[in-house]
Amino acid sequence: MQTEALVRLLSGIWISVFLLEVNCTQQNPIPEENLLVLTLGTSETDGFTRFMRSAKLFNYTVKVLGRGEKWRGGNYKTASGGGQKVRLLKSALEKYEKEDQVILFIDSYDVVFASDPKELLKKFQQANHRVVFSAESLIWPDRHLEDKYPHVREGKRFLSSGGFIGYAPSLKKMVADWDGKDGDSDQLFYTQLYLNPEKREKINITLDNKCRIFQNLHGALDDVVLKFEDGRVRARNVVYDTLPVIVHGNGANKLQLNYLGNYIPKVWTFETGCTECDEDLRSLTSLKESEYPLVLIGVFIHQPTPFVTVFFERLLNLKYPKDRLQLFIYNHEPHHERNVKLFLEAHGSEYRAVKVIGPEEGLDNAGSRNLGLDLCRQDAECDYYFSVDVEVVLKNADVLKILIEQNRSITAPMISRNGKLWSNFWGALSADGFYARSEDYVDIVQGRRVGVWNVPYISSVYLIKGSVLRTELTDKDLFHSLTLDPDMAFCSNAREQGVFMFISNRHEFGRILSTENCETTHLHNDLWQIFENPQDWEERYIHSNYTRIMKDKLIETPCPDVYWFPIFTETGCNHLVEEMEHFGQWSGGGNKDTRIQGGYENVPTIDIHMNQVELEKQWQKFLLEYIAPITEKMYPGYYTKCTSYLNFVVRYKPDEQPLLAPHHDASTFTINIALNSKDTDYEGGGCRFIRYNCSVQAPRKGWALMHPGRLTHYHEGLPTTAGTRYIAVSFVDP
């Protein structure tokens, strides 16, 4: 008997479940044309543009409420606000009478669609209620209402007014009693309505407890990860294993939405790369140069910085018509006044306008940057403001054109410190507003993910639309803060105003110099930068053909076992000579020499040792990096660490020391670099290897002679008959 009863009971349960499933499957899908998206957009911010782009991708029909109205509904930081949205919704719903009309009411500035209307309507239909609100785990704005909320077995318990979907007649009933002010709280209004059991049941309201439709990020940052699918990206809620249709960065979670919005729904995928990078571009190709946008370039020199002369050379070489460029140069560093002066004397007249603020004016970092922005803001013709710090190495001469064509509110070219992950952007912020590394930061810096990325912080170099300065970033003090440095303060203000900052790594733009250990006590301080900025030092001082020495067989052999190859640039030679003459303490050319071990020189020269100008360590590094590889190639089986205790610059003059007597060098091999040009700077000169009766009489400026020092290569310096000849010499591996 008990067995039969149990069988009948189970059969009844199975039949009930079956009938329920049949009933559900028999529901006809809601036609997509029945869906209308209503949103609020009093101004077309960057967030609004992002929202509309995602809606367009999935063919949502969107009607924007409040265009042209001033926003009076407060902000997410205050408990009150949002009533303006209810008023506009109530008014808009008056025209919708059809019972089967479905309305999605959603914020726009901090929302993206992750899927299409078909999925949205299916999930709404499965909710089996007339109205479905988004839900969250944190109660707001009144904690005292927590006990009045219905308990749920699983999922988020509290209502969020940032998004809801329902049938038009039900939504009409829901907002029918609204008579509040624009500044009143819509969140509190909907909460109290939901907490009223009678109204909740009558209107048939439920919450999307498991984020099947709406994903609010407030209080849920750890719940959401990116899910890369074939050619698209979703937000996955790992707590409930759901794929929300709509992602909402409500509350103070705009930055997380910005991160997710770099991918969702199809902004960047592994299959396609960046799909939106070429949308809404501002092309310059059809314009005459006289029609190019007017750009104010703000140059900032806040500290001693190497290679400032090179910076100005690159600024001059930007591929942009100079009559469409204005310059604002702020220099806080007296050491660099000469650099600024020489540049402006030579090229200042080529620009449309120039304004210079020097160290004597006492303007601080933040004040100078505020001034630069305001110069563009106050000039109605200023289309763009390009801010660049002097430590930025702009290798791409097209950078201005590229950034302008990208057509974003604020765009920065991605640059990083050579060989490091340090760059001019942050992918995320910590809770206290400082640096945090986003999951994709390394991939972006190293170029494994290429695109235009919405980020919370940029610095060093960026382009701002003049219109943004005049309409959104109108505060004249964007850089001062009691707790943040100027760049962080500026980015914080931009975020507060909803202005997106983008970093582009679509091109190679350049790098950032290290300003640590920047010498200021020498004539040409850049000579000392081989450790801190090796790539820039190489570009400045190493001959452009050096890398071709092996591949193209540029090494010549003018005498047996004597090798001749390019090593220094013209600038490198000039700087070394000028540095030595500036130092001026040439030896007397006598045999007694306290600078060397033993104090006696058999074959003396008039010279200055590298250690006298504190260049010894840098010169040793030069030998190891650039001479050792040539040595090991040309003298097979010999490996060197380029130990050298004698490194010096020699000066030959007819009336001082015109020649050098035959001698061996105290070295395994010797490097002899010509620092100036025969027939231009001097006459005569050269080196003769006596055993082979072989001479190199026309040394090329910047080229090195490398030869054995002892035993086989007894040699002499040939007479300099006019002018002054300079050579740099190293006795390697004594």
Side-chain angles (χ1 to χ4, degrees):
M1 293 290 292
Q2 291 179 346
T3 302
E4 291 179 1
L6 181 59
V7 169
R8 285 196 298 270
L9 176 60
L10 291 174
S11 299
I13 293 173
W14 183 86
I15 291 169
S16 298
V17 170
F18 175 77
L19 291 174
L20 180 60
E21 290 180 349
V22 169
N23 185 53
C24 289
T25 58
Q26 287 177 343
Q27 282 186 303
N28 292 322
I30 301 173
E32 293 183 24
E33 57 267 24
N34 287 15
L35 175 65
L36 175 66
V37 179
L38 296 180
T39 190
L40 192 74
T42 54
S43 59
E44 295 191 7
T45 65
D46 290 334
F48 178 82
T49 300
R50 175 181 59 192
F51 169 81
M52 293 300 290
R53 186 180 288 125
S54 70
K56 180 180 178 182
L57 178 68
F58 292 116
N59 294 316
Y60 281 94
T61 302
V62 180
K63 182 177 180 180
V64 181
L65 309 179
R67 284 187 187 272
E69 279 197 21
K70 184 177 180 181
W71 174 248
R72 300 181 180 86
N75 61 63
Y76 68 88
K77 292 185 176 181
T78 63
S80 63
Q84 188 173 358
K85 293 193 291 184
V86 188
R87 171 176 64 79
L88 290 168
L89 174 62
K90 182 178 179 180
S91 175
L93 287 172
E94 291 177 1
K95 65 177 69 173
Y96 301 106
E97 304 290 344
K98 293 181 180 180
E99 286 291 326
D100 59 354
Q101 175 73 63
V102 178
I103 301 291
L104 170 67
F105 188 70
I106 193 74
D107 290 347
S108 63
Y109 298 157
D110 52 5
V111 169
V112 293
F113 285 103
S115 192
D116 55 31
K118 181 179 179 180
E119 182 178 338
L120 173 67
L121 291 170
K122 179 181 178 181
K123 290 181 174 179
F124 168 59
Q125 196 168 22
Q126 290 171 342
N128 204 26
H129 282 72
R130 299 286 295 178
V131 178
V132 180
F133 269 87
S134 62
E136 57 189 342
S137 57
L138 302 176
I139 187 171
W140 187 83
D142 188 351
R143 291 187 193 174
H144 299 94
L145 298 176
E146 180 176 354
D147 292 339
K148 296 184 179 181
Y149 266 91
H151 286 276
V152 295
R153 290 184 178 179
E154 185 181 14
K156 298 182 183 296
R157 183 180 168 199
F158 305 113
L159 175 146
S160 171
S161 65
F164 50 86
I165 185 171
Y167 290 100
S170 300
L171 296 183
K172 279 186 178 182
K173 293 177 184 177
M174 190 173 71
V175 298
D177 295 335
W178 171 263
D179 59 357
K181 299 177 182 178
D182 284 356
D184 291 345
S185 174
D186 65 328
Q187 173 74 20
L188 188 59
F189 169 72
Y190 291 123
T191 298
Q192 291 174 336
L193 187 148
Y194 175 73
L195 295 181
N196 183 319
E198 181 180 345
K199 290 185 178 180
R200 182 171 69 243
E201 184 176 346
K202 182 178 180 181
I203 301 173
N204 195 12
I205 305 174
T206 190
L207 302 186
D208 181 30
N209 304 103
K210 295 184 180 180
C211 306
R212 300 183 73 246
I213 298 175
F214 303 97
Q215 176 63 65
N216 289 310
L217 297 177
H218 185 47
L221 295 184
D222 294 334
D223 298 357
V224 181
V225 297
L226 290 170
K227 182 177 186 293
F228 290 91
E229 298 177 345
D230 186 16
R232 66 182 293 189
V233 187
R234 299 291 298 264
R236 175 173 174 255
N237 187 303
V238 295
V239 177
Y240 309 116
D241 195 21
T242 54
L243 298 174
V245 178
I246 297 160
V247 185
H248 183 195
N250 58 326
N253 296 286
K254 317 300 180 190
L255 298 187
Q256 181 67 5
L257 179 70
N258 290 349
Y259 167 73
L260 297 174
N262 282 329
Y263 298 92
I264 299 171
K266 297 181 180 181
V267 179
W268 191 96
T269 72
F270 286 105
E271 294 79 12
T272 64
C274 182
T275 63
E276 295 184 357
C277 288
D278 291 322
E279 291 186 8
D280 302 322
L281 297 182
R282 178 177 184 174
S283 176
L284 301 180
T285 55
S286 61
L287 299 180
K288 300 176 182 177
E289 287 196 345
S290 60
E291 298 172 334
Y292 271 43
L294 182 65
V295 181
L296 172 62
I297 300 179
V299 175
F300 295 91
I301 308 173
H302 289 289
Q303 59 189 329
T305 305
F307 303 105
V308 172
T309 301
V310 183
F311 171 86
F312 281 116
E313 289 172 2
R314 292 196 173 107
L315 182 67
L316 182 69
N317 291 328
L318 288 178
K319 294 179 181 178
Y320 204 88
K322 290 185 176 53
D323 62 349
R324 303 302 295 163
L325 295 177
Q326 297 177 332
L327 292 184
F328 166 66
I329 300 176
Y330 168 79
N331 177 31
H332 181 261
E333 179 53 52
H335 173 71
H336 291 308
E337 285 189 286
R338 181 173 176 269
N339 300 111
V340 175
K341 180 181 178 182
L342 291 175
F343 171 71
L344 292 179
E345 285 179 349
H347 304 289
S349 61
E350 300 175 33
Y351 293 88
R352 186 182 181 95
V354 176
K355 181 178 178 62
V356 180
I357 300 292
E360 71 283 354
E361 301 197 33
L363 194 63
D364 66 5
N365 187 343
S368 67
R369 296 182 186 275
N370 282 325
L371 177 58
L373 285 186
D374 204 46
L375 289 173
C376 181
R377 185 186 290 118
Q378 298 300 323
D379 182 357
E381 294 185 354
C382 181
D383 296 302
Y384 292 93
Y385 177 73
F386 184 57
S387 176
V388 55
D389 294 351
V390 76
E391 58 264 31
V392 171
V393 180
L394 288 177
K395 294 284 289 180
N396 193 325
D398 290 313
V399 59
L400 267 180
K401 292 180 182 178
I402 292 169
L403 298 182
I404 289 172
E405 289 181 338
Q406 204 62 65
N407 199 25
R408 308 291 175 110
S409 296
I410 304 177
T411 316
M414 197 213 76
I415 54 175
S416 60
R417 192 157 289 168
N418 186 42
K420 301 183 182 298
L421 290 174
W422 198 98
S423 75
N424 65 323
F425 81 97
W426 298 348
L429 295 182
S430 63
D432 55 359
F434 289 86
Y435 171 81
R437 179 173 290 184
S438 61
E439 293 178 7
D440 55 3
Y441 177 82
V442 174
D443 281 350
I444 293 174
V445 172
Q446 295 183 342
R448 290 193 292 268
R449 300 187 188 185
V450 175
V452 181
W453 311 91
N454 187 343
V455 296
Y457 172 87
I458 56 174
S459 66
S460 303
V461 54
Y462 45 85
L463 184 79
I464 308 177
K465 284 185 176 180
S467 58
V468 170
L469 295 175
R470 289 185 281 273
T471 58
E472 297 174 78
L473 299 179
T474 56
D475 190 336
K476 292 193 174 184
D477 189 0
L478 294 171
F479 287 93
H480 279 110
S481 169
L482 296 176
T483 57
L484 303 175
D485 70 26
D487 283 330
M488 292 174 65
F490 169 74
C491 294
S492 175
N493 283 313
R495 296 193 302 267
E496 286 292 317
Q497 296 302 315
V499 177
F500 290 173
M501 295 169 284
F502 293 91
I503 194 87
S504 172
N505 67 338
R506 300 184 71 195
H507 304 264
E508 289 289 338
F509 289 106
R511 55 185 176 271
I512 308 172
L513 292 173
S514 170
T515 56
E516 298 175 8
N517 303 317
C518 180
E519 293 278 350
T520 60
T521 57
H522 308 284
L523 178 64
H524 294 297
N525 295 284
D526 296 343
L527 285 168
W528 279 257
Q529 286 294 309
I530 192 170
F531 290 107
E532 283 74 19
N533 294 289
Q535 188 172 352
D536 299 88
W537 191 93
E538 178 178 309
E539 289 179 0
R540 187 67 164 159
Y541 294 127
I542 296 300
H543 200 288
S544 59
N545 286 335
Y546 174 81
T547 55
R548 296 174 51 209
I549 287 175
M550 300 302 180
K551 182 178 69 174
D552 297 339
K553 299 181 179 179
L554 291 185
I555 296 183
E556 299 180 18
T557 310
C559 299
D561 287 327
V562 176
Y563 301 105
W564 201 13
F565 54 89
I567 190 68
F568 275 157
T569 61
E570 181 106 356
T571 300
C573 295
N574 293 344
H575 281 193
L576 194 54
V577 169
E578 291 167 9
E579 192 66 47
M580 294 305 181
E581 288 292 0
H582 178 73
F583 180 71
Q585 298 180 29
W586 296 94
S587 66
N591 296 108
K592 186 177 181 181
D593 193 341
T594 58
R595 299 172 302 171
I596 62 175
Q597 188 176 4
Y600 185 85
E601 173 60 68
N602 286 324
V603 187
T605 55
I606 292 179
D607 55 47
I608 295 175
H609 288 193
M610 299 297 181
N611 59 13
Q612 290 180 261
V613 294
E614 301 176 338
L615 194 60
E616 187 81 355
K617 290 181 180 179
Q618 290 77 9
W619 192 262
Q620 292 281 357
K621 176 72 169 174
F622 155 71
L623 293 175
L624 191 60
E625 292 292 327
Y626 298 100
I627 299 300
I630 307 297
T631 305
E632 292 167 6
K633 183 70 175 179
M634 304 317 297
Y635 300 124
Y638 180 74
Y639 299 98
T640 178
K641 293 184 179 180
C642 283
T643 302
S644 179
Y645 303 115
L646 280 177
N647 306 289
F648 50 96
V649 172
V650 180
R651 184 174 73 184
Y652 290 111
K653 296 171 71 174
D655 58 350
E656 189 175 69
Q657 181 183 3
L659 53 81
L660 192 60
H663 62 284
H664 283 296
D665 293 335
S667 67
T668 301
F669 68 93
T670 296
I671 296 297
N672 178 332
I673 304 172
L675 297 179
N676 56 350
S677 300
K678 185 173 181 176
D679 298 330
T680 301
D681 302 311
Y682 65 91
E683 294 179 9
C687 182
R688 176 173 174 261
F689 296 93
I690 297 169
R691 169 182 284 191
Y692 307 106
N693 193 27
C694 179
S695 299
V696 181
Q697 294 186 338
R700 300 166 190 159
K701 184 175 182 179
W703 282 55
L705 283 175
M706 182 171 69
H707 60 82
R710 295 189 181 90
L711 299 178
T712 58
H713 282 64
Y714 194 59
H715 59 285
E716 63 180 333
L718 300 175
T720 298
T721 58
T724 304
R725 178 187 176 213
Y726 297 93
I727 58 173
V729 178
S730 288
F731 294 163
V732 184
D733 295 343

